[in-house]
């Protein structure tokens, strides 16, 4: 017999809300259960809870708040109008109907023409359905559509993008994830999701996201050098009697046509895919394939958000950094959710086999632990309020069409952090378990399957050459034609060999193609049956991983040939004197290379220096140090310095570098003859002359201070600085680009101050700022140059005391070369042009700005493509 008063299952307010919810659901259920579900989803409802009662209470609350959200929504969104001809629309509609019938969007789908309008601008594009799963096309409107703009135009910094309904990406989830990395100062590439209003063929589709595609545009606006993006496909799958799955995964590049059509990117592709294949086949540690710091940061952020979806084999996207020959992660389909039971879990990166293999590498694990600590510290400070403010602004834009959309309960981050720190011990963490295997079928093991061309080898044999091909795929390999090149890059049509072409290599077959002895490289036109014919280049006796920039263990036998280099742990010291080097020397990691005053190194043609750590040069005005070629050589293979976050600054004083070329080591061929990567550097009284490569001095991601630098007789560009911060003072550039269109100073994505710089004899641009650079120029002199001061592609240059004389084409220019960035701003004061009719040598393109002494110069339509085909045409050496 009960003595206590039985407690009602619901309090009166809860009962009232429950009845209201039941009534709403009954009214909504009149069409069909599925129709109600789709309607709720497209109006922004996302369940935050697992149990039915809490879901219903949340729904009632969201419905009650919907009118206010609609009234206060930010409706001032960019409007994209899309027109698709009726017959073309029927093709997309048929693809959608087939998807609804078959339960998935087919891989082969129609691509049709479309016209887009934004801000009174007209754009022509190709369009197709986007995505694989039915959520992309489940509603009557707001289907996911993938666009590729024509004529190299761009919208929202992208030539390729998708329009997707916000619910497909769980609304604000991906943006909160990428904002977390930004606020934690993690430099991870993340596609933007930009809310816009879409009107398609006159029908208002409402709010959708412009989602950047994985393309060169994405890399450029994220301050990355042109490169390739890779992913994994499944080649085959097996399952044993215990139900354990093994997948054979095949790496491939995105934008295949673009990559294979560019010789430099095609070479990078071979290195990149071979590296991934080595990782998948467990031949190479993860930190030798991936950027350890960035990978650790990305995995830590994934674990903070419980973003397990990003870790599945098919959702990985990686950018291949051509300078480091390593991959960086790209945020891809993180699918973060506000639902507590799906968000809070033990670190999913420890459960998925690919990420687990990465974390088993102690170098990546150490960066993961540091990133984890950074996130914890930021959350204990003000990360959550900053995310909440950012989220509210985004929600205001989405509420116009998704009034049921609620904010994430970001305080759950504190629970996640507390449990993360305590290894999920304690009362509040007992209900937090591992990743729910019912959400995704794990694979227990994996292996790699190389592309056929990565396995191909072109080797010397008995005074000739043999190209050996193996078709390791499941479909025929079509060989169309082959062309040879000798060491002078003269082409040979190889008529006798081509007499047997075209031909087909069936699965499992091999073929040896005998080639003349003087052929050092071949271009093979070929493709698997399901692909378009493309050009694949193979170089004699060079495999994809013939050389990659990595620190080397100390080779005592080699170093014994150079007794003038004192080698200690972490330290190489070159004795004063004149010495000859006949090998390409590579230091171990974290090494300081010291050149004292009076140290002169003379290199053979293929000899050079690669330092992993930092460079110290202690030359003096009376007794500088020098690096140059041997008397019998025409050039040498340059100086490269790679630093990491632990490396001290490289300090170089009174150093002369001459006749250097970029290192051509296998397929890894950087542009710079003197090359600093991720390096804080001080250069003082340095003279670079007679360089034999595209860039005399090339600095990537550097924090720089340069004083009194002189660059003379440069084959092409003198100084190229990408993504740098710092100053250049009292420096001079003479006779630049004597073979091709070389710039004096060429910067991309950089913030530099130039003080007292002069240019004499520059065949292209004296100062060229591009790709969102910000330059301050105080006192510059141009004499005998084709172009003086040039701002392009969302660059801002503020210049004072500029003197121009003997300018052949344009003294000042402001324009856009790459539409993804837009126009530029050039503001000049104290401009003194000594040429006759100098007013005809000042040009600003419509959409850009150029002011002289506060007066805006009238803009004009400018044929930028025409400029780069004629007076700005480059013939830079490879």
């Amino acid at each position: 017999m009960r003595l206590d008063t039985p407690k009602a299952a619901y309090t009166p307010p809860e009962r009232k809300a429950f009845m209201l919810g039941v009534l709403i659901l009954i009214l909504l259920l009149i069409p069909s259960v599925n129709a109600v579900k789709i309607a709720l989803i497209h109006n922004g409802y996302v369940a935050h809870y697992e149990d039915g009662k809490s879901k219903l209470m949340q729904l009632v609350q969201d419905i009650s708040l919907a009118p206010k959200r609609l009234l206060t929504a930010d409706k001032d969104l960019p409007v994209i109008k899309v027109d698709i001809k009726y017959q073309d629309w029927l093709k997309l509609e048929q693809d959608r109907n087939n998807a609804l019938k078959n339960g998935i969007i087919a891989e082969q789908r129609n691509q049709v023409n479309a016209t887009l309008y934004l801000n009174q601008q007209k754009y022509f594009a190709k369009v197709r359905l986007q995505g694989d799963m039915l959520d992309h096309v489940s509603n009557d409107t707001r289907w996911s559509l993938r666009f590729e703009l024509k004529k190299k135009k761009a919208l929202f910094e992208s030539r390729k993008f998708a329009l997707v309904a916000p619910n497909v990406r769980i609304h604000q989830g991906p943006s909160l994830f990428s904002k977390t990395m930004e606020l934690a100062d993690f430099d991870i590439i993340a596609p933007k999701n930009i809310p816009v209003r879409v009107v398609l063929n006159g029908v208002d589709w409402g709010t959708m996201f412009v989602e950047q595609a994985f393309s060169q545009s994405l890399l450029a606006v994220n301050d990355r050098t042109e490169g390739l993006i890779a992913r994994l496909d499944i080649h085959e799958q097996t399952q044993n009697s215990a139900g354990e799955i093994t997948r054979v995964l095949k790496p491939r590049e995105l934008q295949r046509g673009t990559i294979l059509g560019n010789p430099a990117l095609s070479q990078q592709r071979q290195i990149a895919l071979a590296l991934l294949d080595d990782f998948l086949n467990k031949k190479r540690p993860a930190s030798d394939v991936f950027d350890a710091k960035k990978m650790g940061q990305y995995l830590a952020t994934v674990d903070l958000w419980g973003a397990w979806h990003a870790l599945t084999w098919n959702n990985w996207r990686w950018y291949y950094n051509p300078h480091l020959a390593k991959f960086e992660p790209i945020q891809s389909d993180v699918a973060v959710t506000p639902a507590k039971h799906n968000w809070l879990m033990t670190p999913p990166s420890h459960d998925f086999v690919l990420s687990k293999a990465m974390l088993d590498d102690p170098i990546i694990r150490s960066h993961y632990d540091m990133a984890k600590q950074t996130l914890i510290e930021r959350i204990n400070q003000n990360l959550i309020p900053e995310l909440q403010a950012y989220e509210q602004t985004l929600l205001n834009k989405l509420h116009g069409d998704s009034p049921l959309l609620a904010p994430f309960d970001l305080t759950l981050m504190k629970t996640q952090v507390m449990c993360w720190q305590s290894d999920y011990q304690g009362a509040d963490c007992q209900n937090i378990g591992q990743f729910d295997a019912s959400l995704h079928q794990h694979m227990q093991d994996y292996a790699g399957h190389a592309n056929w061309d990565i396995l191909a080898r072109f080797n010397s044999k008995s005074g000739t050459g043999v190209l050996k091909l193996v078709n390791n795929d499941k479909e025929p390999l079509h060989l169309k034609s082959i062309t040879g090149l000798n060491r002078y890059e003269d082409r040979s049509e190889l008529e006798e060999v081509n007499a047997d072409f075209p031909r087909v290599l069936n699965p499992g077959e091999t073929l040896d193609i005998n080639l003349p002895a003087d052929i050092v490289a071949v271009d093979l036109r070929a493709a698997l049956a399901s692909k378009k014919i493309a050009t694949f280049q193979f170089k004699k006796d060079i495999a994809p991983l013939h050389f990659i920039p990595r620190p080397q263990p100390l080779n005592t036998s080699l170093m014994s040939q150079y007794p003038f280099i004192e080698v200690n742990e972490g330290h190489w010291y070159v004795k004063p004197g004149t010495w000859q080097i006949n090998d390409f020397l590579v230091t171990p990691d974290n090494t300081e290379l010291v050149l004292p005053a009076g140290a002169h190194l003379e290199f053979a043609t293929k000899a050079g220096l690669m330092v992993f750590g930092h460079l110290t040069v202690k030359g003096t005005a009376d007794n500088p140090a020098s690096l140059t070629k041997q008397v019998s050589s025409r050039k040498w293979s340059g100086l490269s310095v790679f630093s990491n976050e632990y490396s001290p600054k490289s300090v170089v004083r009174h150093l002369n570098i001459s006749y250097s070329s970029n290192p051509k080591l296998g397929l890894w061929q950087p542009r710079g003859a003197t090359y600093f990567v991720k390096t804080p550097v001080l250069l003082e009284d340095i003279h670079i002359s007679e360089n034999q490569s595209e860039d005399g001095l090339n600095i990537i991601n550097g924090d720089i201070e340069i004083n009194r630098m002189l660059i003379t007789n440069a084959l092409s560009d003198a100084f190229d600085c990408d993504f740098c911060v710092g100053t250049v003072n009292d420096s001079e550039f003479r006779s630049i680009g004597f073979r091709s269109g070389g710039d004096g100073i060429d910067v991309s994505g950089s913030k530099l101050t130039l003080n007292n710089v002069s240019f004499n004899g520059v065949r292209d641009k004296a100062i060229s700022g591009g790709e969102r650079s910000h330059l301050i120029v105080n006192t510059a002199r141009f004499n005998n140059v084709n172009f003086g001061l040039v701002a392009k592609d969302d660059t801002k240059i503020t210049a004072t005391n500029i003197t121009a004389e003997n300018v052949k084409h344009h003294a000042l220019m402001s324009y856009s070369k790459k539409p993804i960035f837009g126009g530029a701003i050039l503001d000049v004061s104290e401009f003194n042009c000594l040429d006759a009719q100098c007013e005809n040598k000042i040009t600003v393109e419509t959409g850009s700005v150029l002011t002289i002494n506060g007066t805006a110069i009238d803009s004009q339509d400018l044929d930028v493509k025409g400029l780069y085909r004629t007076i700005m045409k480059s013939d830079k050496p490879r």
Side-chain angles (χ1 to χ4, degrees):
M1 176 177 177
R2 291 180 65 101
L3 298 178
D4 59 305
T5 304
K7 185 178 179 180
Y10 298 94
T11 64
E14 288 176 334
R15 188 161 50 247
K16 182 178 179 180
F18 179 81
M19 295 304 296
L20 177 60
V22 170
L23 178 61
I24 292 170
L25 285 177
I26 290 173
L27 293 174
L28 290 173
L29 285 171
I30 291 174
S32 73
V33 173
N34 192 53
V36 171
K37 181 179 179 181
I38 291 174
L40 289 175
I41 289 173
H42 278 268
N43 278 278
Y45 178 72
V46 180
H48 288 211
Y49 306 98
E50 189 172 17
D51 64 285
K53 175 183 173 182
S54 297
K55 286 182 181 179
L56 183 57
M57 293 296 296
Q58 180 199 336
L59 177 59
V60 171
Q61 182 181 26
D62 288 340
I63 291 174
S64 67
L65 291 173
K68 180 181 177 182
R69 290 170 177 167
L70 282 170
L71 287 172
T72 59
D74 179 2
K75 296 184 173 62
D76 188 21
L77 301 179
V79 178
I80 295 180
K81 295 182 180 180
V82 182
D83 288 344
I84 302 174
K85 292 181 179 179
Y86 179 68
Q87 293 300 324
D88 287 336
W89 177 253
L90 289 180
K91 295 177 182 178
L92 299 183
E93 198 172 54
Q94 184 61 50
D95 283 347
R96 186 230 182 193
N97 292 337
N98 289 338
L100 295 176
K101 177 182 177 181
N102 299 323
I104 191 169
I105 301 174
E107 183 175 346
Q108 300 298 322
R109 57 196 79 170
N110 287 293
Q111 187 175 55
V112 301
N113 292 319
T115 306
L116 289 80
Y117 301 87
L118 175 68
N119 297 333
Q120 300 181 333
Q121 296 291 318
K122 186 176 182 179
Y123 304 86
F124 298 102
K126 297 178 182 178
V127 60
R128 61 170 173 79
L129 294 185
Q130 162 85 356
D132 301 312
M133 308 308 293
L134 294 186
D135 55 347
H136 286 277
V137 294
S138 61
N139 200 36
D140 291 336
T141 61
R142 296 207 288 182
W143 308 347
S144 296
L145 299 174
R146 167 68 178 265
F147 293 85
E148 180 178 349
L149 299 184
K150 300 178 181 179
K151 299 182 179 179
K152 295 188 177 181
K153 297 293 185 180
L155 279 177
F156 299 103
E157 303 180 335
S158 297
R159 291 189 57 233
K160 298 180 180 181
F161 58 89
L163 292 175
V164 297
N167 63 277
V168 172
R169 301 304 186 208
I170 316 184
H171 304 281
Q172 69 268 41
S175 298
L176 287 172
F177 185 96
S178 59
K179 191 66 175 179
T180 301
M181 294 191 294
E182 178 188 329
L183 293 173
D185 201 24
F186 297 165
D187 181 23
I188 308 296
I189 301 171
K192 291 181 180 177
N193 290 300
I194 303 165
V196 297
R197 190 170 135 243
V198 176
V199 178
L200 194 145
N201 287 346
V203 178
D204 190 346
W205 274 22
T207 304
M208 299 184 73
F209 279 140
V210 171
E211 181 179 77
Q212 290 178 304
F214 300 107
S215 66
Q216 296 301 317
S217 299
L218 177 66
L219 301 180
V221 299
N222 278 276
D223 291 343
R224 297 309 196 273
T225 302
E226 183 183 40
L228 64 90
I229 297 173
R231 62 160 295 168
L232 300 174
D233 289 337
I234 189 166
H235 182 71
E236 62 184 23
Q237 175 176 304
T238 58
Q239 189 168 359
N240 63 20
S241 58
E244 295 176 329
I245 294 174
T246 297
R247 292 189 174 106
V248 178
L249 302 171
K250 184 177 181 180
R252 73 168 167 90
E253 74 287 354
L254 302 185
Q255 294 186 284
R256 176 177 179 268
T258 298
I259 301 303
L260 290 174
N262 182 312
L265 293 178
S266 182
Q267 289 188 177
Q268 293 176 23
R269 170 187 171 275
Q270 293 186 55
I271 299 173
L273 297 188
L275 282 172
L276 283 177
D277 189 67
D278 274 5
F279 168 70
L280 293 172
N281 287 307
K282 306 173 182 66
K283 296 178 181 178
R284 190 177 293 267
S287 59
D288 201 38
V289 177
F290 302 102
D291 184 308
K293 181 178 181 180
K294 295 185 188 301
M295 187 59 74
Q297 292 172 340
Y298 184 63
L299 292 176
T301 311
V302 164
D303 288 347
L304 175 66
W305 280 97
W308 64 269
H309 201 253
L311 304 176
T312 62
W313 65 268
N314 55 316
N315 281 331
W316 279 104
R317 301 291 183 273
W318 297 290
Y319 160 64
Y320 172 76
N321 184 322
H323 306 290
L324 302 175
K326 289 189 177 183
F327 283 97
E328 301 178 16
I330 302 176
Q331 178 182 326
S332 173
D333 210 355
V334 292
V336 296
T337 171
K340 179 178 179 179
H341 57 286
N342 285 332
W343 181 350
L344 299 185
M345 63 177 71
T346 58
S349 68
H350 298 19
D351 292 331
F352 284 73
V353 290
L354 288 177
S355 54
K356 187 175 182 297
M358 296 170 186
L359 289 173
D360 284 343
D361 185 302
I363 299 175
I364 293 181
R365 184 55 186 253
S366 68
H367 285 287
Y368 171 90
D369 291 337
M370 286 188 285
K372 172 181 172 181
Q373 189 58 38
T374 296
L375 289 169
I376 291 170
E377 291 171 359
R378 290 291 287 110
I379 289 169
N380 290 333
Q381 295 166 356
N382 58 351
L383 178 65
I384 291 176
E386 289 177 298
L387 286 176
Q388 288 170 331
Y390 171 77
E391 180 188 32
Q392 188 56 55
T393 300
L394 182 56
L395 289 178
N396 287 344
K397 297 177 184 292
L398 300 179
H399 276 155
D401 283 282
S402 302
L404 300 182
L405 180 58
F408 280 38
D409 180 7
L410 295 175
T411 60
L412 289 175
M413 278 188 170
K414 292 190 174 181
T415 303
Q416 184 81 307
V417 161
M418 177 186 66
C419 296
W420 210 5
Q421 285 181 295
S422 67
D423 198 22
Y424 296 85
Q425 303 299 313
D428 292 333
C429 309
Q430 289 180 352
N431 294 326
I432 298 178
Q434 286 183 297
F435 166 79
D436 184 355
S438 66
L439 297 173
H440 175 77
Q441 192 173 24
H442 274 309
M443 61 179 176
Q444 280 69 41
D445 201 3
Y446 58 87
H449 182 87
N451 289 260
W452 68 268
D453 63 292
I454 303 302
L455 292 179
R457 294 291 182 269
F458 178 24
N459 291 327
S460 302
K461 185 176 181 181
S462 302
T464 63
V466 177
L467 176 63
K468 187 177 188 65
L469 303 178
V470 179
N471 183 4
N472 65 331
D473 217 284
K474 299 177 180 178
E475 56 181 311
L477 175 62
H478 292 263
L479 310 176
K480 188 173 183 180
S481 63
I482 189 169
T483 304
L485 294 91
N486 64 21
R487 65 190 185 97
Y488 303 107
E489 297 190 1
D490 296 326
R491 302 186 72 83
S492 171
E493 297 306 319
L494 301 176
E495 293 179 2
E496 291 186 11
V497 179
N498 276 295
D500 294 330
F501 282 58
R503 63 188 301 171
V504 175
L505 202 61
N506 290 314
E509 291 184 345
T510 63
L511 176 66
D512 287 351
I513 301 175
N514 295 308
L515 297 163
D518 66 329
I519 297 300
V520 298
V522 293
D523 287 340
L524 177 66
R525 299 273 295 160
L528 293 171
S530 61
K531 305 292 184 182
K532 291 183 179 179
I533 294 291
T535 300
F536 298 84
Q537 186 171 93
F538 305 96
K539 295 190 174 184
K540 185 185 285 185
D541 299 323
I542 296 178
L545 300 180
H546 178 88
F547 179 91
I548 52 176
R550 298 290 187 269
Q552 298 295 322
L554 184 64
N555 186 332
T556 53
S557 175
L558 176 64
M559 295 309 295
S560 66
Q561 301 175 37
Y562 304 106
F564 51 86
I565 302 178
E566 294 180 355
V567 176
N568 298 303
E569 185 174 354
H571 187 86
W572 285 17
Y573 178 84
V574 179
K575 297 177 182 179
T578 300
W579 315 105
Q580 293 199 338
I581 293 181
N582 299 310
D583 300 279
F584 197 91
L585 303 181
V586 182
T587 74
D589 205 4
N590 299 316
T591 297
E592 179 189 26
L593 174 67
V594 180
L595 293 177
H600 305 288
L601 297 182
E602 297 178 348
F603 294 84
T605 300
K606 294 185 178 180
L609 273 176
M610 183 170 288
V611 180
F612 286 89
H614 66 290
L615 174 68
T616 301
V617 180
K618 300 179 178 180
T620 65
D622 295 332
N623 196 14
S626 69
L627 305 173
T628 190
K629 69 179 182 66
Q630 295 178 7
V631 173
S632 59
S633 300
R634 187 172 62 85
K635 59 184 179 180
W636 60 287
S637 292
L639 167 71
S640 303
V641 181
F642 294 85
S643 296
N644 56 43
E645 58 270 25
Y646 310 113
S647 301
K649 177 185 291 188
S650 288
V651 178
V652 179
R653 291 189 170 97
H654 293 284
L655 174 66
N656 298 328
I657 302 175
S658 58
Y659 296 99
S660 58
S661 180
N662 58 315
K664 295 184 177 180
L665 301 164
L667 300 180
W668 183 79
Q669 298 185 6
R671 299 177 313 190
T674 302
Y675 188 54
F676 290 89
V677 181
K678 298 179 71 171
T679 307
V681 59
L682 168 65
L683 304 178
E684 286 190 345
D685 300 292
I686 180 172
H687 182 193
I688 298 174
S689 64
E690 320 297 337
N691 81 282
Q692 304 292 309
S693 68
E694 181 175 339
D695 299 327
L697 172 63
N698 189 198
I699 302 180
I700 310 294
N701 296 108
D703 188 341
I704 68 171
E705 180 184 350
I706 298 176
N707 302 314
R708 298 177 300 281
M709 177 169 69
L710 172 64
I711 299 182
T712 59
N713 297 327
L715 184 69
S716 186
D717 290 345
F719 175 34
D720 195 320
C721 204
D722 297 332
F723 322 120
C724 296
V725 177
T727 60
V728 178
N729 307 306
D730 306 314
S731 294
E732 187 176 357
F733 305 82
R734 297 199 306 257
S735 186
I736 306 303
F738 61 82
R739 165 178 161 174
S740 62
D743 298 332
I745 297 179
D746 183 10
V747 302
S748 298
S750 297
K751 295 180 180 180
L752 294 180
T753 298
L754 313 179
N755 298 309
N756 189 27
V757 289
S758 64
F759 304 82
N760 194 322
V762 179
R763 283 193 56 187
D764 200 349
K765 299 172 282 291
I767 299 175
S768 175
E771 299 185 11
R772 274 197 195 123
S773 293
H774 189 178
L775 302 183
I776 297 173
V777 183
N778 300 313
T779 306
R781 294 171 297 281
F782 312 132
N783 188 11
N784 188 24
V785 301
N786 272 0
F787 303 88
L789 184 57
V790 175
K792 59 184 185 291
D793 300 332
D794 201 21
T795 286
K796 181 177 180 180
I797 300 179
T798 303
T800 304
N801 190 17
I802 305 300
T803 302
E805 183 177 8
N806 296 321
V807 177
K808 184 174 182 180
H809 294 298
H810 299 281
L812 303 175
M813 292 190 77
S814 181
Y815 61 92
S816 171
K817 179 185 177 184
K818 299 180 179 179
I820 60 172
F821 291 106
I825 297 174
L826 176 56
D827 182 14
V828 182
S829 60
E830 300 179 43
F831 177 58
N832 183 25
C833 186
L834 305 181
D835 292 351
Q837 295 184 328
C838 200
E839 65 274 8
N840 296 326
K841 296 181 178 180
I842 298 169
T843 302
V844 53
E845 183 190 22
T846 302
S848 293
V849 175
L850 198 164
T851 58
I852 300 177
N853 297 326
T855 300
I857 305 301
D858 292 337
S859 62
Q860 58 183 290
D861 291 338
L862 191 63
D863 183 8
V864 175
K865 289 183 180 179
L867 285 175
Y868 281 88
R869 285 195 300 265
T870 54
I871 58 177
M872 286 185 174
K873 185 176 181 179
S874 174
D875 181 29
K876 293 183 177 181
R878 295 179 180 177

